[in-house]
Amino acid sequence: MKRLIPAACSSLVMFIILVLLGSLMTPPSSVTANTQHISVQTRDTSIAAEGFTVPHEGTYKTKESRITIALTDSVSIHAIVREPIGATGKRPACLFLHGAGTGDSSEVYGDVASALASAGIVTLVPDKRLDNYSALHRDYPQMAQDYGKSFDVLKQWPGVDPHKTGLYAESEGTWISSIITAQRHDIAFSILTSAPVVSGRQQMSMAASTYFADSGAPQELINDVPKLTSMDFSAIGLNYANFNSTPYLNKLTQPVLVNYGTDDLSMPIEQGAQTILKHTADAGNTNVTVRYYPANHQMRTGSHLSEPGLPLESSYTRNLEDWINAVTMGATSKDWATPMIAGDQPSQRYAAPTSLSSGLISSLGTLLVLLVAALGLCVLCGINGLAIAIRAMLRPASQTNNSSVSGHIHQGFARGIAAPLSILIVLSATSLLATLWYVASSAVQALSLHRASALFVDVWVLLRVAAVVLVLVFGWMSSTLIVHAHDARIAHGQSAQGNHQQDSISIARGFGHISVVVLGLLASVLVMVSLAFWGLYSF
């Protein structure tokens, strides 16, 4: 009873603190269910304008020309021009902009660009400039300037009508194309496929939440997503995550075709289209067509993932060609014989948050310092404890017997200290390592679109139990220290009267033993704070 009440009180106080810390580390803005849905008018994705006869896919044979485009005095890129053979008159043309992860003109857009060329549309696929593009650094305004030079080359290509030349962009490339259409007045049309629309930070909040939810991850892990995506990434240079293309959409005044795959979990497939429709309407542009396909992020079928070798959705290129040929012939919003919004019914699970603000841990650097410090202290305790154990085994028995004073010190620790301290250190290290393993494994399963097994989901419950047990052991250790501190005050008074030796109630004897106690307590506190961040103490 002497230690039970202090242990219970210590555990309760620590548990309340951890719950409050977990709440403070949760951002005020969260990812919520999407409630604003789009209704398609028909499942038929075909596009046609009344009074316009357009050449269809396969009308012309095509040829390729490989060229070099100078971006600066010292930087040039390769590009591929595909054009119809035998097409008369000035032809419409389309410049292709890369999404993330692609760069070589010979490895991307080949099937799409060739199909468009066979319908009489000249296409240019340039290399992505990679000398100033990396996972940690991307300058979208500069990329817009680079693509602008490729656009000028296409406009001047023999047989191309410069007034009928537009853009095709996918994914990340739609941010860049939005800059180009806002800055230039010679863009005849804009095709936005799999457009994030919102900033990368907001898009990733929605995407990661969707991935985790679809994989069956615990709700606490889903709630962790905005904690991470709202952080300051400047420590590793990810400033481009804040780029927001939405303001540029107000200047999207040319005909626009928006395409999304309903199997694409990474994009705001409903919210994105709604945002584009709103901003173009504000700009007075009603010639906006939206199509949804039963396809993935790259408009391909056979897998939700973007894997090589997958076929394009069967009607996708035909619709692109029909739309480009019609709008470059002058089709307006009043001329369409087909609905403006059509295709496979989309269903976006989560809405991309309109704003993100961080919680108590506001930067990735701070989180990494916390995790490294917690693990580092656990390792130091383990090394120190191992060294103490080795020294004890090598110490002569006579010294071991003489090392205790009045029976209170046992191998350098006061009685009752070694057991809770050892359990505390071991449980702290294993709990944190297991939690990090679980988070990483869940992320891998989510990104690979694999459903977690029931057994794997149950591991989260075990982690939460371990986190609670860690608090109880911390309370046990704290109560032991409190009792020893109380005994120390009594012993101090007695020693003043010559009744006892003061060092008989020392918690630990020797620098190594004292450091294990101090580092063990500090490590356990940092570990519990880390576990609170991942939601193990949230209710």
Side-chain angles (χ1 to χ4, degrees), residues 48-194:
E50 293 181 354
F52 293 86
T53 302
V54 300
H56 297 294
E57 188 171 315
T59 300
Y60 303 98
K61 292 183 178 180
T62 65
K63 66 176 182 179
E64 292 185 3
S65 301
R66 296 178 181 267
I67 64 173
T68 300
I69 300 173
L71 301 182
T72 68
D73 292 339
S74 59
V75 178
S76 296
I77 58 171
H78 299 295
I80 300 176
V81 177
R82 296 175 176 90
E83 53 190 316
I85 298 174
T88 59
K90 293 289 188 178
R91 308 306 307 166
C94 183
L95 172 69
F96 283 76
L97 281 68
H98 293 268
T102 61
D104 194 322
S105 58
S106 64
E107 297 178 355
V108 67
Y109 292 138
D111 47 2
V112 181
S114 295
L116 266 61
S118 75
I121 303 162
V122 180
T123 62
L124 189 155
V125 180
D127 286 349
K128 180 192 290 183
R129 180 179 177 180
L130 297 177
D131 65 303
N132 60 358
Y133 179 96
S134 70
L136 301 180
H137 173 77
R138 296 171 193 183
D139 186 340
Y140 295 126
Q142 178 60 52
M143 295 172 73
Q145 293 183 32
D146 292 337
Y147 277 112
K149 293 180 180 178
S150 296
F151 186 78
D152 291 334
V153 170
L154 179 59
K155 284 176 58 180
Q156 297 166 14
W157 192 260
V160 166
D161 188 335
H163 302 294
K164 296 181 178 180
T165 304
L167 305 174
Y168 175 100
E170 286 186 4
S171 192
E172 181 184 52
T174 62
W175 286 330
I176 303 166
S177 71
S178 298
I179 298 174
I180 297 173
T181 52
Q183 294 177 342
R184 301 183 62 141
H185 302 288
D186 57 349
I187 311 297
F189 60 85
S190 180
I191 299 175
L192 304 174
T193 295
S194 302

Side-chain angles (χ1 to χ4, degrees), residues 188-224:
F189 60 85
S190 180
I191 299 175
L192 304 174
T193 295
S194 302
V197 180
V198 296
S199 72
R201 191 185 294 273
Q202 294 165 303
Q203 177 261 328
M204 279 307 301
S205 298
M206 180 226 68
S209 297
T210 304
Y211 287 143
F212 275 114
D214 271 32
S215 71
Q219 185 61 45
E220 291 83 5
L221 275 188
I222 300 174
N223 295 340
D224 286 338

Side-chain angles (χ1 to χ4, degrees), residues 32 94 111 117 133 136 142 202 262 286 294 315 324 335 364 383 398 420 481:
T32 58
C94 183
D111 47 2
Y133 179 96
L136 301 180
Q142 178 60 52
Q202 294 165 303
T262 53
T286 58
S315 61
I324 292 174
D335 296 318
L364 184 61
I383 294 174
S398 58
L481 296 178

Side-chain angles (χ1 to χ4, degrees), residues 370-376 378 426-438 463 470 523 526-528 530-531 534 536:
L370 172 64
L371 296 176
V372 170
L375 287 174
C378 288
V426 172
L427 187 58
S428 294
T430 54
S431 295
L432 183 54
L433 288 173
T435 299
L436 294 178
W437 165 82
Y438 189 89
L463 289 174
L470 181 58
L526 293 181
V527 166
M528 287 186 287
S530 301
L531 299 183
W534 296 113
L536 287 165

Side-chain angles (χ1 to χ4, degrees), residues 438-455:
Y438 189 89
V439 172
S441 299
S442 297
V444 170
Q445 289 189 91
L447 292 175
S448 58
L449 302 184
H450 288 156
R451 184 79 181 176
S453 66
L455 180 61

Side-chain angles (χ1 to χ4, degrees), residues 392-406:
M393 287 188 294
L394 297 177
R395 186 182 301 128
S398 58
Q399 291 185 22
T400 302
N401 294 333
N402 294 332
S403 65
S404 61
V405 180
S406 302

